[in-house]
Amino acid sequence: MRALLARDCERFGRSLPRDFAAHVRDAYRIDLSAHYLGEPLPHPVGKGSGQLSLNARQLEEDADAGLAFVILKTVIAQDEAGAQSMAAWAIHETKMKVEQRRAASGVEGWTVTWKGRGWDRSFDEYLGLVRAARDLARAGRLLAVPSVKYHLPRLGEPFRGGEYRFTTQSLGAAWGEGPLLLEKDFSPTLAGDALADDRAQILRWLREVPSQVRAHAPVRLALKLMNARFDDAFQVEMLQAACGADALVVFNRLFDDRLGVAYGGWDLSDRNLRVLDAYRPLPPSTALYRPLCGTGNIHSGRMIIEYARRGCSSVQLHTFFQLPLSEYPATHGSRTQRALHKLIFDPADGLIAGLLELENQGVLERRGGELHFLDLANAHRQG
């Protein structure tokens, strides 16, 4: 197996097959199947919302690369007149700066810094992107899901129903038949805003936003939770409060008050994993079961496994798709292909290597002759 993995790593560094998950199942008897928002995926790796998912060309490239899913750039909700209560988030992105950041532990990691926030083009253009995403999803090429930042009121204030109604219904019409898959983004810049200074206010959003969205269209809703500027215990409380969602994305980037920017790296994954250690998701057999999708400093297959062992049935990446080409062992292909190649086939730190190691340790056992990625997440929920 190790020799085969070394050979595959070398040859797929020149040309990664789109359906590499099928090869992994045939060659290694490892089933990489995962899921996000109730949708089956061939493997667990997806792309988080941001500058890498704001046009149809990027989606086509990711579909050709064999990525499992993509979250579209976050659009800012509006009412019929075009008014946006969260308009401060619809500002143009500055150029992204990929840089290393030293964590509190002293370890160097990667982060991407930029000053922009959400979608800054017209809402009609975003609906066009949603239709392109729908077509890719229905063709079975790529699951692509819209992301929205809706109005968030202060305590005692009502939700602006007009924004929820117009935005949700418009997205639903663009998506067409079937439930609208949707991710609600509690962004890291929100964590740095005065709006998020009050714990009770944040918990109210998490409890009430799902019903505000569902009132206007059949929706399957994921909440991408922020890292609030409070302690770990409050992060767990946030997870418990968000029981109205269909899935939870855990957790968005940290916010640097001094620099006024969000950031990632090892500080982010250290906190995310620590919080997930303190949270015990309910098993799938219970009515309040909420699937988790991990995000934060995912730079190796081993880090995917760390999130999976804490209940995450898929993961979202953003920074890892933007590293200097010298950081990827693959010599050919798009950044998405090179990232997938390293995440899956790296002989030391790739997902295959990590799963085989867990088998050797007796942590993961074969069923029907196969190892199953999802057994990691299911074991955490049932443990």
Side-chain angles (χ1 to χ4, degrees):
M1 283 289 186
R2 297 293 179 182
L4 174 60
L5 184 54
R7 290 196 300 271
D8 279 349
C9 183
E10 182 177 355
R11 70 188 181 112
F12 292 154
R14 296 186 294 271
S15 178
L16 181 71
R18 184 190 180 281
D19 194 8
F20 61 82
H23 169 79
V24 171
R25 192 164 193 172
D26 290 341
Y28 301 90
R29 306 308 297 162
I30 295 176
D31 182 358
L32 295 179
S33 296
H35 59 79
Y36 172 74
L37 263 181
E39 293 295 311
L41 304 171
H43 61 82
V45 184
K47 180 176 286 186
S49 174
Q51 287 296 90
L52 304 181
S53 54
L54 49 68
N55 60 58
R57 177 189 58 78
Q58 291 170 321
L59 300 183
E60 287 282 350
E61 186 177 88
D62 286 339
D64 291 342
L67 198 63
F69 68 103
V70 171
I71 310 302
L72 304 184
K73 178 73 174 174
T74 301
V75 71
I76 310 304
Q78 65 180 60
D79 63 18
E80 278 185 295
Q84 297 173 309
S85 61
M86 307 294 281
W89 273 263
I91 60 176
H92 184 68
E93 303 277 359
T94 57
K95 184 177 180 180
M96 293 183 291
K97 183 179 181 181
V98 181
E99 55 191 348
Q100 290 192 306
R101 181 176 176 117
R102 186 181 296 274
S105 63
V107 182
E108 292 281 355
W110 289 98
T111 187
V112 176
T113 304
W114 71 97
K115 293 285 188 178
R117 296 179 176 185
W119 181 265
D120 63 345
R121 306 174 192 177
S122 74
F123 188 55
D124 283 342
E125 287 179 277
Y126 193 81
L127 295 178
L129 181 62
V130 171
R131 286 189 284 269
R134 171 203 64 195
D135 293 344
L136 285 170
R138 290 185 180 165
R141 297 182 60 208
L142 177 71
L143 178 65
V145 177
S147 171
V148 185
K149 186 181 296 297
Y150 288 99
H151 170 244
L152 298 173
R154 297 188 181 277
L155 279 175
E157 294 180 350
F159 285 86
R160 296 194 181 180
E163 289 189 15
Y164 280 82
R165 180 178 61 256
F166 178 76
T167 301
T168 307
Q169 289 181 352
S170 297
L171 292 172
W175 189 262
E177 184 181 355
L180 169 66
L181 304 183
L182 196 62
E183 186 170 290
K184 162 68 181 91
D185 183 18
F186 287 92
S187 72
T189 50
L190 175 65
D193 191 89
L195 265 177
D197 283 343
D198 189 296
R199 299 185 187 214
Q201 198 158 267
I202 294 172
L203 296 177
R204 180 201 176 193
W205 299 336
L206 297 176
R207 293 187 184 108
E208 298 185 26
V209 161
S211 61
Q212 294 289 328
V213 176
R214 295 185 201 285
H216 306 293
V219 172
R220 227 183 285 163
L221 180 67
L223 298 184
K224 187 173 188 178
L225 303 184
M226 62 184 173
N227 265 297
R229 291 174 294 167
F230 302 112
D231 57 17
D232 291 357
F234 184 70
Q235 288 296 118
V236 174
E237 197 172 351
M238 289 170 61
L239 286 165
Q240 294 166 339
C243 60
D246 295 296
L248 303 174
V249 183
V250 289
F251 296 95
N252 228 320
R253 300 193 303 160
L254 300 167
F255 190 78
D256 187 322
D257 287 306
R258 182 178 61 86
L259 297 177
V261 296
Y263 67 96
W266 285 96
D267 284 335
L268 176 57
S269 57
D270 286 347
R271 189 189 200 209
N272 287 359
L273 297 176
R274 190 173 66 239
V275 169
L276 291 174
D277 279 335
Y279 172 69
R280 178 66 62 175
L282 294 169
S285 58
T286 64
L288 293 179
Y289 161 67
R290 295 294 176 267
L292 301 179
C293 179
T295 189
N297 192 37
I298 297 172
H299 59 278
S300 68
R302 290 187 182 276
M303 186 60 81
I304 295 173
I305 287 173
E306 290 301 317
Y307 278 96
R309 295 186 73 173
R310 291 161 175 85
C312 296
S313 52
S314 57
V315 293
Q316 297 181 17
L317 296 69
H318 193 266
T319 298
F320 192 67
F321 293 116
Q322 302 176 73
L323 301 188
L325 292 181
S326 59
E327 293 297 313
Y328 307 112
T331 55
H332 295 77
S334 66
R335 269 192 167 80
T336 300
Q337 288 173 310
R338 296 182 191 215
L340 287 169
H341 168 259
K342 181 169 183 175
L343 291 169
I344 305 301
F345 291 99
D346 187 283
D349 293 323
L351 185 55
I352 296 171
L355 293 173
L356 291 174
E357 187 174 299
L358 291 178
E359 180 186 23
N360 289 338
Q361 295 170 355
V363 174
L364 195 60
E365 296 181 355
R366 293 182 182 263
R367 291 187 291 108
E370 293 183 335
L371 296 178
H372 296 261
F373 169 77
L374 282 176
D375 283 353
L376 292 176
N378 292 336
H380 177 74
R381 296 187 195 103
Q382 295 167 2

